[in-house]
């Protein structure tokens, strides 16, 4: 179980996106520099999803109803730092691993081989990759700051005490207290998320309009593929694909935010994202390791 | 703000109206939430459901431009339901004062008494108090004006003080309380509901909740911003809120007040500084040809008969001494004649300058980080007017729409002869100096890095220009060089212009020995003191370290909080005199006991004042050379000559706020027989091109989003912000979208007689179709941050659509409520 | 010029002073205290400042190394923002520098104007010019316009007014800059002076 955790309270969030911007500036993550390069998203949520240069964003969901006529919910979309983390299990190179001291899923970019297994193992569809070498890019929990006695950049900049970072036990207790209070105030669907999911998440969420309002999966599970890939992991890459090919598999991965289907093309020896037709990995069977 | 940001944590009830404080002043939400955690209630009234509304407890929509109807209804509700703070109103307001018997308001015509059709303005003879007697000014050795006889003080005639007639029972039909009550009888729940488009049920909930702060031990605060001011009756919107706060006894309390959340990092400072047509630094009247042809008339007319402003000549003469230095003498009226006098022929406030450029009257234009080609009302007209200029000098960090007006999509550069200079300005952290926040805190910014490349601080640019101009006039002469050559310009330290030298000038000093002053109480009218900005006296007054801002109050970083009310008295410095909550005398009863002992700002212990804040009243007087406490009285508003809060007032356009419709309105005025305020400015200008509700049936309001700021010049320059909110859009209520076949994301055209813009539609339940006077009115919303000039994010200019009409007092345009039509592009 | 002392000064990059020290919780102590030589804030010098967007007056800590901007974040000691910043405040760094998406390196923000520019009559683009030339040319135009539109007397009253020039803006400047603007513009005789408070 994670020793430390993030805490996000949707009932306090004003969606100022300070966290989203602070994550970018502290971690030196670029934004597009072309004129009008970002598309109109039809929402206050922008970009619409995490990408190779965006590790954290504020999500928006509006529905008519409630005592004020509209329920507008703001959520945090970023890594949940799961205890049972599919990405850690599946990562063949050790680029993703639980940090011993904090329990957060730390990123060692140099070790990333760009296989993208993590992306397809994550029930929250979080990991993204960037650039020429397709390096992993996800929330690091700013361990560089934490190890220097500072809060993660997103937490430091949060003005409304929506975001906190600290002892997981304390924050979970705080979340339970908060939800009890919110229910007392009439937020009947208020709920804590992250207490037990996947062995306990490293991001505890208080959802005052209910977990559906933040599109959080009710029962996140690691994809079946993870177990498979876990077995293959020691073979790292080449061999794994061979076994994969032999199975001729098509996997459903990612329960929650988005479902991804992978297929293996036996002729080209590519692993392909069914939705985007992006070639995620290619294997050359003639090559000897 | 009458209070400050941290003080919001002391409130019991918040009313956010005409502000979207969570988005536009995010740090305010932090302090609201602290109070919220203690059980405070937060009400948001806004034409659209904003991120602020999402955070609040109670939300009410409202038709933009109907705030006076809303507050008039609240005043009636407060009085009808006996929620007003009686001792406060009786003692600290002019409720008991008898009004002139000639005062009248005609509901049929919508006019107050005193209208002069020739001058198109009101005469105020019937808007004043009935007077018992006039006490002559006392210039005897113990009198308030004793100082006027000292050597060096220019001759003038101090005014006598009028003693108004009162009825402390508040029953006399001619007393202001009764006249006020009668005025708002028409503002019943049903009428207000029909005008504002708020259900009676919601109105009652809001009125009842905010009215609960009329209890003496409760504090309610109102947060407002441009949603109140950007109307042709914006000043009266503001007054309506002030009046509500007086009725509920909320002004002067910790957690109370009327809090204008100002929109720029130092717009408090630029307002203080008199970067405005009508003011000198520190809110003194700028000389005019008609009213103040010479120093004596200025002193005669501006010196108050009562309250603090009996001292005004000391402030003004000290300012002239800072301005002209040793060239200002008693013999030459301290240089008064060298100050430029405003004429009567032309208004020269922002909107009018475009009319004057259009006719070729104004030929040259300086822009100090402002972007009117994007941000003024009726920007298309403004840009056309700019194209008639001979020259323009824009000082900025980026190429703004104004600096590049000549390549606006609707103009042809080849036909424009204006020469435009764009000078690169330093960023805020590339230079040192003071900024004043909305809570009047003066804080020092240290220089962190050198200006990039050839950028320079604005002060240095002023210095370069000024020295060159002085040289030209010395060498060549020209139109009267005297005002230029007599100016004192001595702000160098070690041979270079330096903000610390200017800070000293702003603070003020005894000229002999240049000793910095700790209070404006030490300023004199005899030419022995100098101060550019009397209200800042004390912010930079440490004579032991005049070159070290960190040793000055402006650099103070103490975290003590005496009284536990988040006053933070030792952190930075608040004008005036480090006072954190204005009008704090009113936080205690007439005997000086706090209405609520847990919120004690000032407290009379029986023989002395024990205050947590700096007294905003005369708490002590020098008697026989020693400071002696002054026992409590009811002079709680001592910046006014009558030293009380005013439910009704001599004012330019209305003695008491009355509802009129926006210049372009979707409906008739249901409260009186007149559509617009009779003193609306510029409605007759050809450039305005009024549209009717038949042509343009959709009501629109304009606003900001948290990710961007003002004209977007700075935020569209930051890629992370562009990515977080990349495009212009129009928010459309679902019903209108359905009627017009508009789907979320569709490109739409929004247009009226002044302009036409293309924007994406955001169809949302957060915007409303309201029932107004029995008819459905669709209200849409346009954020206004975009223009063509950015490498990263561009869009059409929303203010092309806004009407260039304005308020007669503030001359602020009506950006917040006008008419358009919308169609799928 | 530079001020002789800053709000505070720090050169190690480690948050050793009381104000910024942050305990992860009441129970969890900071678990590491060694300074990583590769850490972003190593060897930075810090000064305090105030945000340049809304009127909140939020405090900033600005970190600089070898004269170049490294980081800007909220000042935890500051009573108003207690270390926090909204999205605008959190991206202040980008007013000066941005990240190139191609190289992922820090570069000066290319959208900024850093040299004096002039757009001549009828021209469709800017030309660069020196500060000396810019000041000389502007001063000449100011004098010509002032001389041509100066009103020494208006209806018999000494007016000393320059009608032909207007000045707008100042709400983003420091108060000391503002006094420079008000004194030079009024000094020339301008009466058409306004700023963002009129918006």
């Amino acid at each position: 179980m994670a020793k430390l955790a993030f805490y996000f309270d949707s009932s306090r969030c004003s969606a100022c996106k300070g966290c989203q911007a602070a994550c970018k500036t502290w971690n030196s993550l670029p934004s597009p520099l072309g004129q009008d390069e970002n598309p109109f998203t039809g929402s206050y949520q922008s970009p619409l999803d995490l990408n190779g240069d965006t590790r954290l964003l504020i999500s928006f969901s509006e529905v008519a109803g409630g005592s004020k006529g509209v329920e507008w919910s703001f959520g945090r979309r970023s890594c949940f730092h799961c205890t049972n983390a599919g990405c850690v299990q599946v990562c063949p190179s050790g680029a993703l691993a639980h940090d011993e001291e904090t329990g957060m899923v730390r990123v060692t970019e140099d070790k990333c081989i760009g296989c993208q297994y993590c992306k397809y193992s994550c029930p929250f569809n979080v990991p993204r990759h960037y650039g020429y070498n397709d390096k992993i890019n996800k929330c690091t929990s700013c361990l560089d700051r934490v190890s220097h006695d500072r809060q993660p950049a997103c937490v430091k900049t949060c003005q409304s005490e929506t975001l906190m970072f600290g002892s997981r036990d304390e924050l979970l207790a705080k979340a339970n207290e908060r939800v009890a209070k919110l229910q007392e105030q009439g937020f009947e669907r208020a709920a804590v998320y992250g207490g037990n999911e996947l062995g306990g998440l490293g991001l505890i969420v208080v959802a005052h309009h209910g977990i559906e309002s933040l599109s959080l999966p009710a029962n996140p599970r690691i994809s079946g593929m993870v177990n498979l890939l876990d077995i293959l992991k020691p073979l790292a890459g080449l061999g794994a694909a061979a076994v994969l090919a032999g199975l001729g598999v098509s996997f459903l991965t990612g329960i929650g935010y988005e479902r991804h289907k992978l297929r293996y093309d036996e002729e080209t020896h590519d692993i392909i994202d069914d939705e985007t037709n992006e070639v995620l990995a290619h294997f050359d069977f003639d090559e000897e390791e | 703000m009458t209070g400050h940001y941290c003080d919001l944590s002391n409130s019991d009830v918040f009313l956010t109206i005409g502000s979207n404080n969570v988005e536009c002043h995010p740090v305010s939400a932090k302090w609201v939430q602290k109070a919220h955690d203690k059980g405070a209630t937060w009400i948001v009234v806004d034409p659209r459901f904003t991120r602020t509304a999402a955070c609040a407890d109670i939300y009410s929509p409202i038709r933009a431009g109907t705030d006076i109807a809303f507050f008039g209804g609240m005043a009636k509700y407060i009085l009808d339901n006996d929620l007003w703070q009686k001792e406060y109103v009786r003692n600290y307001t002019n409720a008991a004062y008898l009004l002139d018997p000639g005062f009248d308001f005609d509901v049929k015509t919508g006019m107050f008494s005193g209208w002069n059709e020739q001058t198109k303005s009101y005469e105020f003879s019937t808007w004043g108090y009935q007077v018992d007697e006039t006490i002559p000014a006392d210039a005897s050795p113990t009198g308030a004006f004793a100082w006027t006889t000292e050597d060096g003080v220019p001759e003038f005639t101090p005014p006598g003080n009028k003693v108004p007639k009162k009825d402390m029972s508040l029953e006399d039909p001619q007393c202001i309380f009764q006249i006020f009550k009668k005025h708002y009888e028409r503002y019943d729940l049903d009428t207000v509901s029909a005008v504002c488009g708020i259900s009676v049920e919601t109105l009652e909930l809001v009125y009842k909740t905010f009215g609960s702060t009329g209890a003496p031990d409760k504090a309610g605060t109102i947060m407002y911003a441009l949603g109140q001011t950007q109307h042709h009756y914006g000043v009266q919107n503001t007054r309506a809120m002030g009046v509500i706060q007086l009725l509920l006894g909320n002004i002067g309390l910790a957690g109370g007040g009327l809090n204008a959340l100002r929109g720029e990092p130092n717009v408090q400072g630029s307002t203080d500084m008199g970067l405005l047509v009508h003011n000198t630094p520190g809110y003194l009247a700028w000389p005019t040809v008609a009213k103040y042809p010479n120093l004596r008339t200025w002193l005669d007319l501006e010196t108050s008969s009562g309250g603090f402003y009996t001292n005004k000549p000391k402030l003004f003469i000290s300012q002239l001494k800072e301005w002209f230095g040793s060239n200002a003498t008693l013999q030459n009226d301290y240089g008064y004649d060298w100050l430029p006098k405003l004429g009567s022929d032309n208004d020269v406030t922002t909107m009018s300058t475009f009319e004057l450029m259009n006719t070729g009257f104004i030929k040259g234009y300086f822009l100090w980080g402002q972007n009117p080609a994007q941000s003024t009302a009726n920007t298309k007209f403004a840009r056309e007017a700019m194209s008639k200029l001979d020259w323009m000098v824009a000082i900025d960090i980026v190429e703004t729409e104004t600096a590049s007006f000549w390549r606006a999509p609707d103009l042809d550069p080849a036909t424009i002869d204006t020469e435009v200079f764009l000078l690169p300005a330093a960023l805020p952290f590339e230079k040192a100096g003071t900024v004043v926040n909305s809570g009047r805190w003066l804080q020092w910014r240290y220089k962190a890095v050198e200006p990039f490349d050839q950028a320079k601080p604005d002060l240095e640019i002023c210095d370069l220009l000024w020295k060159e101009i002085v040289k030209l006039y010395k060498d060549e002469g020209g139109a009267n060089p005297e005002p230029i050559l007599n100016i004192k310009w001595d702000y160098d330290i070690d041979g270079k212009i330096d903000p610390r030298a200017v800070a000293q000038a702003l603070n003020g000093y005894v000229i002999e020995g240049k000793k910095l002053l700790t209070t404006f109480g030490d300023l004199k009218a005899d030419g022995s003191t100098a101060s550019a900005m009397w209200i800042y006296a004390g912010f930079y007054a440490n004579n032991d370290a005049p070159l070290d801002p960190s040793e000055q109050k402006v650099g103070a970083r103490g975290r003590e909080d005496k009284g536990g009310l988040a006053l933070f008295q030792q952190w930075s410095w608040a004008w005036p005199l480090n006072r954190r909550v204005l009008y704090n005398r009113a936080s205690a009863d007439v005997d000086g006991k706090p209405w609520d002992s847990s919120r004690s700002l000032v407290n009379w212990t029986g023989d002395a004042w024990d205050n947590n804040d700096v007294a905003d009243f005369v708490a002590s007087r020098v008697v026989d050379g020693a400071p002696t406490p002054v026992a409590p009285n009811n002079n709680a508003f001592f910046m006014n000559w009558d030293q009380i809060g005013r439910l009704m007032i001599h004012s330019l356009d209305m003695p008491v706020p009355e509802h009129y419709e926006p210049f372009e309105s979707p409906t008739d005025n249901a409260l009186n027989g007149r559509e617009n305020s009779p003193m609306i400015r510029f409605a007759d200008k050809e450039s305005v091109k009024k549209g009717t509700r038949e042509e343009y049936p959709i009501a629109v309001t304009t606003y900001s989003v948290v990710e961007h700021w003002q004209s977007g010049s700075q935020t569209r320059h930051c890629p992370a912000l562009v990515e977080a909110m990349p495009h212009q859009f129009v928010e459309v209520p679902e019903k209108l979208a359905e009627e017009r076949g508009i789907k979320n994301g569709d490109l739409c055209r929004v247009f009226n007689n002044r302009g036409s813009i293309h924007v994406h539609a955001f169809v949302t339940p957060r915007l409303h179709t309201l029932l107004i006077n029995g008819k459905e009115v669709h209200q849409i919303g346009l954020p206004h941050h975009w223009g063509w000039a950015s490498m990263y994010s561009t869009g059409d200019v929303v203010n092309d659509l806004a009407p260039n009409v304005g308020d007669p007092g503030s001359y602020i345009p009506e950006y917040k409520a006008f008419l358009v039509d919308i169609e799928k592009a | 010029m530079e001020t002789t002392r800053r709000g505070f000064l720090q050169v190690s990059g480690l948050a050793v002073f009381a104000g910024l020290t942050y305990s992860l919780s009441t129970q969890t102590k900071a678990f590491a205290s060694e300074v990583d030589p590769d850490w972003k804030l190593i060897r930075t010098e810090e000064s305090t400042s105030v945000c340049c967007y809304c009127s909140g007056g939020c405090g900033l800590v600005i970190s600089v190394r070898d004269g170049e901007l490294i980081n800007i974040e909220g000042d935890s000691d500051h009573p108003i923002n207690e270390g926090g910043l909204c999205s605008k405040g959190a991206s202040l760094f980008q007013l000066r520098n941005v990240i190139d998406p191609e190289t992922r390196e820090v570069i000066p923000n290319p959208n900024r104007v850093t040299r004096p520019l002039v757009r001549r009559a009828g021209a469709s683009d800017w030309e660069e010019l020196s500060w000396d030339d810019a000041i000389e040319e502007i001063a000449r135009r100011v004098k010509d316009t002032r001389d041509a539109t100066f009103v020494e007397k208006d209806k018999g009253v000494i007016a000393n007014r320059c009608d032909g020039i207007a000045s707008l803006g100042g709400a983003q400047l420091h108060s000391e800059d503002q006094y420079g603007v008000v004194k030079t513009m009024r000094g020339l005789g301008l009466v058409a002076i306004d700023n963002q408070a009129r918006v």
Side-chain angles (χ1 to χ4, degrees), chain B residues 410-424:
Chain B
D410 53 347
L411 293 176
D412 174 12
T415 64
I416 297 168
D417 288 338
T418 314
E419 259 188 319
V420 181
F421 296 86
L422 176 53
L423 302 180

Side-chain angles (χ1 to χ4, degrees), chain B residues 251-322:
Chain B
I251 300 278
L253 274 64
L258 180 55
N259 289 309
L261 306 180
R262 308 210 57 184
E264 302 251 356
N266 203 14
V267 71
Q268 187 58 57
S270 60
T271 313
D272 299 343
M273 198 61 65
L275 274 165
L276 290 164
V277 169
H278 59 295
N279 276 345
T280 80
Y283 303 96
L284 307 179
W286 191 267
T288 63
V289 164
K291 200 169 171 191
Y292 315 103
N294 50 49
L295 179 64
R296 176 158 193 152
T297 51
W298 194 100
L299 298 174
D300 284 352
L301 294 173
E302 286 301 300
T303 307
S304 183
S305 60
F308 174 76
Y309 275 136
T310 50
N311 294 303
K312 224 182 241 183
K314 301 176 188 173
L315 318 177
F316 191 47
I317 302 296
S318 296
Q319 191 161 80
L320 289 167
K321 282 301 291 181
E322 207 313 302

Side-chain angles (χ1 to χ4, degrees), chain A residues 147-173:
Chain A
S147 66
H148 288 92
D149 204 10
R150 295 194 181 211
Q151 294 162 307
C154 57
V155 177
K156 166 75 191 299
T157 211
C158 181
Q159 291 184 322
S160 55
E161 297 171 37
T162 296
L163 281 174
M164 295 187 187
F165 184 74
S167 152
R168 187 173 183 282
D169 292 345
E170 281 179 24
L171 291 175
L172 186 56

